[in-house]
Amino acid sequence: MSTDGAVRRIGVLGGTGEQGQGLAYRLALVGHEVVLGSRSPERAAQAAAELVQRGPAIRITGAGNADAAAAAEIVIAAVPYDGHRELLAGLAPELDGKIVIDCVNPLGFDKQGPFGLAVGAGSAAEEAADALPLSTVIGAFHHVSAKLLLSAEPLERTDILVLGDDRAAKDEVIGLIAGIEAMRGIDGGRLRHCRQVEHMTAVLIAINRRYKAHAGLLVTDL
Amino acid sequence: MSTDGAVRRIGVLGGTGEQGQGLAYRLALVGHEVVLGSRSPERAAQAAAELVQRGPAIRITGAGNADAAAAAEIVIAAVPYDGHRELLAGLAPELDGKIVIDCVNPLGFDKQGPFGLAVGAGSAAEEAADALPLSTVIGAFHHVSAKLLLSAEPLERTDILVLGDDRAAKDEVIGLIAGIEAMRGIDGGRLRHCRQVEHMTAVLIAINRRYKAHAGLLVTDL
């Protein structure tokens, strides 16, 4: 649960992807109620049913993206970058007044490997904020490995950079993260910093390829 | 010294700045010969004389930037971003055939705090590579705190992302870094990733401001 002890109802858009499933699993593992959202409610229900089998106390259900957004207090956007802005804009009524955690990394791949895509608004998170003027968009979970999230192994200690322009919302997300095993949320500053944070994922992918790892980041001296 | 046991002669351009002095100190502490370069040879000599007092085995001298570049096998560019490209272009003959480690962070500051400056070439390191076609430019040391480098305290463990398009040169720099107390050099991929690595320093500054820290980064799962 969150550091304030509260159980949250969390929606995960793109919840049938690896990142979405992994975050849903880790959040449900500590007591939160999670609704996986997908374009296909059937696929969401199926993914939820599989995750629920991982433990007796895990509460995860599946729904369409709009129903997942409407049902939740806090919503995580774990969708592919392609179509991300349009998907969120279409859910603006369901997301009105809510914290939306964006963990989307706009990356391309060419023969030299991964690279950060130029984004008009600066970052995927800022695009989300433009598309959702009545929501509070926070960037987080960019660097955590979906493979590790979904693994049955205990997580290695990892830090999650939390970025945004609303201090109270950042603190709420940092509290949510602190409840997850081995994770620490760190205020990484303004939403505009999401560009370099999102693009840092290309560096982590390069590291993963060279070292055969699932690299993440820790911040020192805190 | 380096992991191959070799003592290197290392030039530090902008060697009278905090970052330059801090790197010079840590490299000299493990046996390397360092030449601090500065526009003013007198100021370089003075900074060197002060660092030498920190330990009996420390070998640091001062010189003009061109002499420091000419004398060294490996050169670190620790100059301010403003004027960085021009300074390096002017030293192209002295840097010919050498590894140039660029640790420059192109950042601006406004009322919201630090932010990454747009750079035509993509990053300061790529600008350096454009200005020095006969040198091998490697990006490294972007995130290490000058305050900690210059402190008399033992360093906390920190990772240094090493970026470039020449694998052998990257490995040489990684070896150099491995010789420094508490530091590990990690291949972070291509030189083009330097943009997000340089701009990540804005995130670390934001973290330092919120948490009163001298934050650095560690890479997990390696």
Side-chain angles (χ1 to χ4, degrees):
Chain A
M1 60 189 78
S2 195
T3 43
D4 63 6
V7 169
R8 306 271 187 236
R9 194 163 171 87
I10 300 167
V12 181
L13 309 177
T16 56
E18 273 201 322
Q19 191 77 1
Q21 287 193 53
L23 290 171
Y25 171 55
R26 295 291 166 174
L27 287 161
L29 208 53
V30 294
H32 298 293
E33 287 181 47
V34 181
V35 187
L36 294 184
S38 168
R39 277 171 303 175
S40 155
E42 294 73 27
R43 285 183 47 228
Q46 189 185 339
E50 286 169 19
L51 289 171
V52 162
Q53 290 174 12
R54 288 172 163 241
I58 289 180
R59 292 180 292 177
I60 304 180
T61 55
N65 278 321
D67 288 338
E73 303 161 70
I74 297 177
V75 176
I76 299 175
V79 297
Y81 176 61
D82 191 17
H84 155 260
R85 186 196 182 104
E86 296 70 23
L87 179 110
L88 292 178
L91 298 173
E94 289 82 0
L95 296 172
D96 185 352
K98 296 178 182 174
I99 293 175
V100 176
I101 303 174
D102 197 285
C103 60
V104 173
N105 294 311
L107 299 181
F109 292 82
D110 62 17
K111 62 182 189 230
Q112 292 194 349
F115 64 95
L117 291 173
V119 173
S123 61
E126 287 162 286
E127 278 192 342
D130 288 348
L132 299 170
L134 300 176
S135 306
T136 304
V137 174
I138 300 293
F141 297 117
H142 301 92
H143 300 149
V144 67
S145 156
K147 290 264 183 307
L148 296 184
L149 289 174
L150 275 172
S151 126
E153 302 291 311
L155 285 179
E156 192 181 355
R157 201 160 70 82
T158 191
D159 285 338
I160 305 297
L161 294 170
V162 178
L163 302 104
D165 296 332
D166 182 310
R167 178 80 170 256
K170 271 195 288 196
D171 285 344
E172 176 150 358
V173 174
I174 288 169
L176 189 72
I177 292 166
I180 303 176
E181 175 206 353
M183 277 192 203
R184 178 174 63 164
I186 292 175
D187 183 349
R190 296 271 179 179
L191 201 67
R192 68 180 178 178
H193 295 319
C194 280
R195 175 174 15 185
Q196 54 264 43
V197 170
E198 293 168 3
H199 286 180
M200 272 299 287
T201 304
V203 173
L204 295 175
I205 292 170
I207 291 171
N208 289 347
R209 290 181 173 185
R210 170 135 192 202
Y211 297 96
K212 313 287 178 236
H214 300 293
L217 292 178
L218 286 174
V219 180
T220 59
D221 198 43
L222 299 190
Chain B
M1 62 189 76
S2 197
T3 42
D4 61 6
V7 169
R8 305 271 187 238
R9 194 164 170 88
I10 299 166
V12 182
L13 309 178
T16 57
E18 272 201 323
Q19 190 77 0
Q21 286 192 54
L23 290 171
Y25 171 57
R26 295 291 166 176
L27 288 162
L29 208 56
V30 294
H32 297 295
E33 287 180 46
V34 181
V35 187
L36 294 185
S38 168
R39 279 172 301 175
S40 156
E42 293 74 27
R43 285 184 46 226
Q46 189 186 337
E50 285 169 18
L51 289 172
V52 161
Q53 290 173 12
R54 289 171 162 241
I58 291 180
R59 290 179 294 178
I60 304 181
T61 54
N65 277 322
D67 287 339
E73 303 161 68
I74 296 176
V75 175
I76 299 174
V79 299
Y81 177 62
D82 190 18
H84 155 260
R85 185 194 182 106
E86 296 71 24
L87 180 109
L88 292 179
L91 296 174
E94 289 83 359
L95 297 171
D96 185 353
K98 298 178 182 175
I99 292 175
V100 176
I101 303 174
D102 198 287
C103 60
V104 172
N105 293 312
L107 299 181
F109 291 84
D110 62 18
K111 62 182 188 228
Q112 291 193 349
F115 64 94
L117 292 172
V119 173
S123 61
E126 287 162 285
E127 278 193 341
D130 287 348
L132 299 171
L134 301 176
S135 307
T136 304
V137 174
I138 300 293
F141 296 119
H142 300 93
H143 300 149
V144 64
S145 155
K147 289 266 185 305
L148 297 183
L149 289 174
L150 276 173
S151 123
E153 302 292 312
L155 286 179
E156 193 180 354
R157 201 160 71 83
T158 191
D159 285 339
I160 306 296
L161 295 170
V162 178
L163 302 104
D165 296 332
D166 182 310
R167 178 80 170 254
K170 270 195 288 196
D171 284 344
E172 177 151 355
V173 174
I174 288 169
L176 189 72
I177 292 166
I180 303 176
E181 174 206 350
M183 276 192 203
R184 178 173 64 166
I186 292 175
D187 184 347
R190 296 272 179 179
L191 201 67
R192 66 180 178 179
H193 295 318
C194 280
R195 177 176 11 188
Q196 53 266 42
V197 171
E198 293 169 1
H199 286 181
M200 272 299 286
T201 305
V203 174
L204 294 176
I205 292 170
I207 291 171
N208 289 346
R209 288 180 174 186
R210 169 136 192 202
Y211 297 97
K212 312 289 179 233
H214 299 294
L217 292 177
L218 286 174
V219 180
T220 60
D221 198 43
L222 298 190

